[in-house]
Amino acid sequence: MAVGSGELPVLHPIDGVKIGVASAGIKKVGRIDTVVFELCEGASVAGVFTLNAFCAAPVTVAKEHLASTSPRYLLINTGNANAGTGQAGLLNARNSCAALAKEVGVEASAVLPFSTGVIGEKLPVDKLVAAMPAAIAALSADSWERAANGIMTTDTRPKATSRQIEIAGRRITVTGISKGAGMIKPNMATMLGYVATDADIAPNVLQAMLDQSADASFNRITIDGDTSTNDACVLVATGRAGGEQLTEASGPVFDALQQVFNEVFLELAHAIVRDGEGATKFVAVEVTGAKDVSEALKVAYAVAESPLVKTALFASDPNWGRILAAIGRAGVESLDVAALTVHLDDVLITEHGGRAESYTEAAGAAVMKQAEIRIRINLNRGQHAETVWTTDFSYDYVKINAEYRS
Amino acid sequence: MAVGSGELPVLHPIDGVKIGVASAGIKKVGRIDTVVFELCEGASVAGVFTLNAFCAAPVTVAKEHLASTSPRYLLINTGNANAGTGQAGLLNARNSCAALAKEVGVEASAVLPFSTGVIGEKLPVDKLVAAMPAAIAALSADSWERAANGIMTTDTRPKATSRQIEIAGRRITVTGISKGAGMIKPNMATMLGYVATDADIAPNVLQAMLDQSADASFNRITIDGDTSTNDACVLVATGRAGGEQLTEASGPVFDALQQVFNEVFLELAHAIVRDGEGATKFVAVEVTGAKDVSEALKVAYAVAESPLVKTALFASDPNWGRILAAIGRAGVESLDVAALTVHLDDVLITEHGGRAESYTEAAGAAVMKQAEIRIRINLNRGQHAETVWTTDFSYDYVKINAEYRS
């Protein structure tokens, strides 16, 4: 199941980025599971990675390589996360980079590795290396949709988006893909996300822009509260659109680019939630009137991750008592429950610590039947607002995770 | 489903405590849903209550009454939680106490009210009041099992235990009941728990003993991470066993009583986990080698509440990668993942940041097939240890919570 049509828009190529895919037979024979990105010389690259202490070997190696040089290749495999694999896993990640580097004639540190799939199993490096020539031979600017398909695991559909805007008289293109459906509560990044633009942006500015965009998108979604070991997100700026390089994190060009990055990242993050494991609902938990960001997020996540709220969403049951209970246990100090209000979309359900006078079960039920729902909580004690996106909890979530070894 | 036989032991009566049950038809006609405890004059009573900010009206009233006088009656109803009901809910809780008080000839403040069931609906006070004479007429010292049945909601079986020990030449009896199966992550208490003894204990000492016992039992279990609005636990000491009153929180008598209370509370808390909604496994998550209590609990709860770990437990799949991922996101500062070890019962699964050399899938699978499992995590960085008990996550959890309005 998944929410919304999931139809992909036209994915504009990015000048300076080529993508090749291949089938290494890592988990299933014949499935596309290997994706190589080739970035033009001089491209700026920024990355954000999981904060899970058990971060995967490729995350460690990608961070090292990104810090030491300007990357020219991204090497991504699905079917095996190369996480929880100790020293041997690090060696396998490094060997994979070295093999690709040799094939294309760059330093090993110019390759960033990414893996997603089963945790705790040995990465079959031989299979991955054997597939590299095919992926390199297939390198093309038009393969964004193939790449979106090639990085999927329990995803039921590819996730990608693209934008073109005019900035300072030049047409700038931004295209990106993402993947992820379970073990989703990103912390600095999503499961995997790759976004590129032909704008010319200095690496340090690009990193600041990525941090902001990822924080407002991938860091605001949760499917099951389980932060992955492999989260990684990369933003590439090839500079091929021409014009002056953006070297300051301010000004109208910066603002326009940040805005389009924010939009692209949010769309990719939402696509992950819409395709959440077993999802039948796409739910925005909007908290307003909070004293600070922290308490807004506490309340939003408590509601978004409550198994009882999520099963009520699955049942389309306007069981607002469970929403109140989740708000009440969110750990907000001196919360005045009589002062807050809760709406389902535009239907006021709670005020003065209980059911609103105007509320009718029919009105609540009508909203809960929708595939897309906003749970709006106004704490009425401050000026801060945060939104977190999530899904419901269905039989299929249990089925997928009881049957699939992720 | 539930784990273990659930057979109740002999429940010894407590001199000074009588219990009457009745059917008020609050949710289902004919079901026992009203329980009245009568405590002898001079009994000490201690209570612990939910920390959920949206605490139910009866919790607010019970705390007020307990602070103002020595309780003589406990009035418990199921089928309606009287939570999220605002000012009207408080009035209903007070009116219920007043009605019972009038019937038995005490002050209203001598009655402690407790409710459990659907959140957000109006308590049908008329029905509850109408059932009071029958409950009072039924008052008997031998009704502990009836009471255990009478306080159930989605519980599939009653929970109760009883102990007799010799202390300072006198036979002391402790008997208790509890209920709860979902919305279980108690914070200072469980959903509902009532324990009584005939030992003579001063109220302030009794409160200290209850705090310790509840903290080591009800405050160490989680079924779905959802702290209830109605959690409450009461410990009564009637003093009818005779002897000197215990007025100091130390010494051999104190230690012996605390020990038996701890055992009784832990057994009642475990009974709740064994009967967790949809539970097919009873799981202890034991964390050792932690720097402090806080980080031990962070890790234990991250593992115990991970939907991915819980669905793997349901599938009897030794998917230890999910355990590592949960440990890694628990928020322990500077966690050295290469230093920690993880066992399933006595099978070492992880060391040096990856799968143990000695581990075999067959050995892991054999443990996971059991109905009772210990996940043992040694952080190897300190001297603190904590255990949390939980269940798996099954289709039936979703079914129960998608179909039942709690």
Side-chain angles (χ1 to χ4, degrees):
Chain A
M1 277 178 289
V3 184
S5 80
E7 211 175 304
L8 295 185
V10 173
L11 301 176
H12 306 290
I14 301 294
D15 192 4
V17 176
K18 288 182 181 170
I19 303 170
V21 305
S23 176
I26 290 173
K27 200 170 167 203
K28 283 185 193 154
V29 175
R31 227 209 90 160
I32 297 294
D33 55 16
T34 305
V35 177
V36 173
F37 277 72
E38 183 182 74
L39 315 178
C40 63
E41 247 179 295
S44 297
V45 179
V48 284
F49 299 91
T50 183
L51 291 186
N52 192 309
F54 257 107
C55 78
V59 168
T60 303
V61 174
K63 279 157 68 173
E64 274 174 26
H65 287 186
L66 187 56
S68 73
T69 183
S70 191
R72 293 290 313 285
Y73 290 87
L74 312 181
L75 170 62
I76 310 156
N77 73 271
T78 62
N80 183 305
N82 193 9
T85 46
Q87 288 300 318
L90 283 170
L91 195 65
N92 285 336
R94 289 190 216 286
N95 287 344
S96 306
C97 293
L100 180 63
K102 196 175 162 197
E103 197 77 25
V104 296
V106 298
E107 292 293 309
S109 60
V111 179
L112 303 187
F114 303 87
S115 297
T116 179
V118 188
I119 297 176
E121 292 185 8
K122 190 171 167 282
L123 182 70
V125 180
D126 292 352
K127 288 182 182 175
L128 186 59
V129 171
M132 285 175 188
I136 293 162
L139 284 169
S140 144
D142 294 315
S143 291
W144 282 92
E145 186 168 341
R146 277 185 211 102
N149 276 285
I151 61 175
M152 298 200 306
T153 49
T154 57
D155 306 61
T156 69
R157 59 197 195 188
K159 297 157 188 69
T161 192
S162 195
R163 292 274 199 296
Q164 289 193 316
I165 51 162
E166 201 83 17
I167 296 182
R170 287 174 200 276
R171 189 169 65 186
I172 298 292
T173 304
V174 182
T175 298
I177 61 174
S178 65
K179 69 130 307 214
M183 202 176 268
I184 295 291
K185 182 181 181 178
N187 191 347
M188 294 321 290
T190 182
M191 194 58 186
L192 292 177
Y194 302 94
V195 177
T197 179
D198 50 7
D200 196 353
I201 308 172
N204 61 328
V205 177
L206 194 68
Q207 184 68 48
M209 296 175 102
L210 172 58
D211 290 348
Q212 190 193 115
S213 289
D215 202 47
S217 57
F218 295 126
N219 287 354
R220 291 293 181 276
I221 64 174
T222 180
I223 287 170
D224 45 23
D226 272 313
T227 301
S228 160
T229 49
N230 289 56
D231 289 345
C233 182
V234 168
L235 176 60
V236 174
T238 65
R240 291 286 180 90
E244 253 182 275
Q245 189 178 62
L246 179 66
T247 55
E248 296 281 339
S250 61
V253 172
F254 174 86
D255 291 344
L257 283 168
Q258 184 75 67
Q259 165 83 15
V260 69
F261 290 156
N262 286 350
E263 284 172 22
V264 164
F265 275 75
L266 197 58
E267 193 174 330
L268 293 174
H270 284 183
I272 287 174
V273 176
R274 287 172 187 280
D275 194 27
E277 287 173 347
T280 72
K281 308 274 183 186
F282 176 75
V283 183
V285 183
E286 306 174 1
V287 177
T288 57
K291 272 194 183 153
D292 53 39
V293 170
S294 159
E295 75 174 33
L297 288 178
K298 268 188 202 167
V299 170
Y301 277 112
V303 172
E305 294 179 350
S306 158
L308 292 173
V309 171
K310 290 165 97 84
T311 46
L313 284 163
F314 171 55
S316 297
D317 178 7
N319 192 331
W320 53 271
R322 294 184 182 171
I323 298 173
L324 295 197
I327 296 169
R329 71 168 165 85
V332 173
E333 217 173 325
S334 316
L335 180 66
D336 179 3
V337 298
L340 63 83
T341 59
V342 182
H343 287 77
L344 287 177
D345 279 11
D346 293 328
V347 177
L348 176 67
I349 56 176
T350 309
E351 60 182 348
H352 310 313
R355 178 159 48 190
E357 285 289 339
S358 58
Y359 178 74
T360 65
E361 183 83 3
V367 175
M368 289 294 276
K369 282 207 188 79
Q370 299 165 186
E372 308 206 1
I373 296 167
R374 291 184 306 147
I375 299 175
R376 297 166 50 210
I377 300 156
N378 188 340
L379 300 178
N380 275 316
R381 54 191 248 142
Q383 300 301 319
H384 289 268
E386 287 290 337
T387 299
V388 161
W389 291 271
T390 193
T391 57
D392 56 332
F393 226 148
S394 68
Y395 293 114
D396 276 9
Y397 179 88
V398 177
K399 186 176 161 72
I400 290 163
N401 286 299
E403 291 179 2
Y404 171 76
R405 178 173 286 204
S406 62
Chain B
M1 276 177 290
V3 184
S5 79
E7 212 174 303
L8 295 186
V10 172
L11 301 176
H12 306 290
I14 301 295
D15 191 4
V17 175
K18 288 182 182 168
I19 304 169
V21 306
S23 176
I26 290 174
K27 201 171 167 201
K28 283 184 193 156
V29 174
R31 227 210 88 164
I32 296 294
D33 54 16
T34 304
V35 178
V36 172
F37 277 71
E38 182 181 75
L39 315 177
C40 63
E41 243 178 297
S44 297
V45 178
V48 285
F49 300 90
T50 184
L51 291 186
N52 192 308
F54 257 107
C55 78
V59 168
T60 303
V61 174
K63 280 156 68 174
E64 275 175 23
H65 286 188
L66 188 55
S68 73
T69 184
S70 192
R72 293 290 314 286
Y73 290 86
L74 312 180
L75 170 63
I76 310 156
N77 74 269
T78 62
N80 184 305
N82 193 10
T85 46
Q87 288 301 317
L90 283 170
L91 195 64
N92 285 337
R94 289 189 215 287
N95 287 344
S96 306
C97 293
L100 180 64
K102 194 175 163 197
E103 197 77 24
V104 295
V106 298
E107 291 294 307
S109 60
V111 179
L112 303 187
F114 304 87
S115 298
T116 179
V118 187
I119 296 176
E121 292 186 7
K122 191 172 167 286
L123 181 71
V125 180
D126 292 350
K127 288 183 182 176
L128 186 58
V129 171
M132 287 175 187
I136 293 162
L139 284 169
S140 144
D142 295 315
S143 291
W144 283 92
E145 187 168 340
R146 276 184 212 104
N149 276 286
I151 62 174
M152 298 198 310
T153 49
T154 58
D155 307 61
T156 69
R157 60 197 193 189
K159 298 157 186 70
T161 192
S162 194
R163 293 273 198 296
Q164 288 193 315
I165 52 163
E166 202 83 17
I167 298 181
R170 287 175 199 278
R171 190 168 67 183
I172 298 291
T173 304
V174 182
T175 298
I177 61 174
S178 66
K179 69 130 310 213
M183 202 177 270
I184 295 290
K185 181 183 182 177
N187 192 347
M188 294 321 290
T190 181
M191 193 59 185
L192 292 178
Y194 302 94
V195 177
T197 179
D198 51 6
D200 197 353
I201 308 172
N204 61 328
V205 177
L206 194 68
Q207 184 68 48
M209 297 176 102
L210 172 59
D211 290 347
Q212 190 194 115
S213 288
D215 202 46
S217 57
F218 295 126
N219 287 353
R220 290 292 181 275
I221 65 174
T222 179
I223 288 171
D224 45 23
D226 272 312
T227 302
S228 160
T229 48
N230 289 56
D231 289 344
C233 183
V234 168
L235 177 59
V236 174
T238 65
R240 291 285 180 91
E244 253 183 273
Q245 188 177 63
L246 178 66
T247 55
E248 296 281 338
S250 61
V253 172
F254 174 86
D255 291 345
L257 282 168
Q258 183 74 69
Q259 165 84 14
V260 70
F261 290 155
N262 285 351
E263 284 171 25
V264 164
F265 276 77
L266 197 58
E267 193 174 330
L268 292 174
H270 284 182
I272 288 175
V273 176
R274 288 173 187 280
D275 194 26
E277 287 173 347
T280 73
K281 308 274 182 187
F282 176 75
V283 184
V285 183
E286 306 173 4
V287 177
T288 57
K291 273 193 182 152
D292 52 39
V293 171
S294 158
E295 75 175 33
L297 288 177
K298 268 188 201 168
V299 170
Y301 276 112
V303 172
E305 293 179 351
S306 159
L308 292 173
V309 171
K310 291 166 97 83
T311 46
L313 285 164
F314 172 55
S316 297
D317 177 6
N319 192 330
W320 53 271
R322 294 185 184 171
I323 299 172
L324 295 198
I327 297 168
R329 71 169 164 84
V332 174
E333 217 174 323
S334 315
L335 180 66
D336 179 4
V337 298
L340 64 83
T341 59
V342 182
H343 288 76
L344 287 178
D345 278 12
D346 293 327
V347 176
L348 175 67
I349 55 175
T350 309
E351 60 181 348
H352 310 312
R355 178 158 50 189
E357 285 288 341
S358 58
Y359 178 75
T360 65
E361 183 84 3
V367 176
M368 289 294 276
K369 280 206 186 80
Q370 300 165 187
E372 307 205 3
I373 297 167
R374 290 184 305 148
I375 299 174
R376 297 164 52 211
I377 300 156
N378 188 340
L379 300 178
N380 274 316
R381 55 191 249 141
Q383 299 302 318
H384 289 268
E386 285 291 339
T387 300
V388 162
W389 291 271
T390 192
T391 58
D392 56 332
F393 226 148
S394 69
Y395 293 114
D396 276 10
Y397 179 87
V398 177
K399 185 177 162 71
I400 290 162
N401 285 298
E403 290 178 3
Y404 172 76
R405 180 173 287 203
S406 64

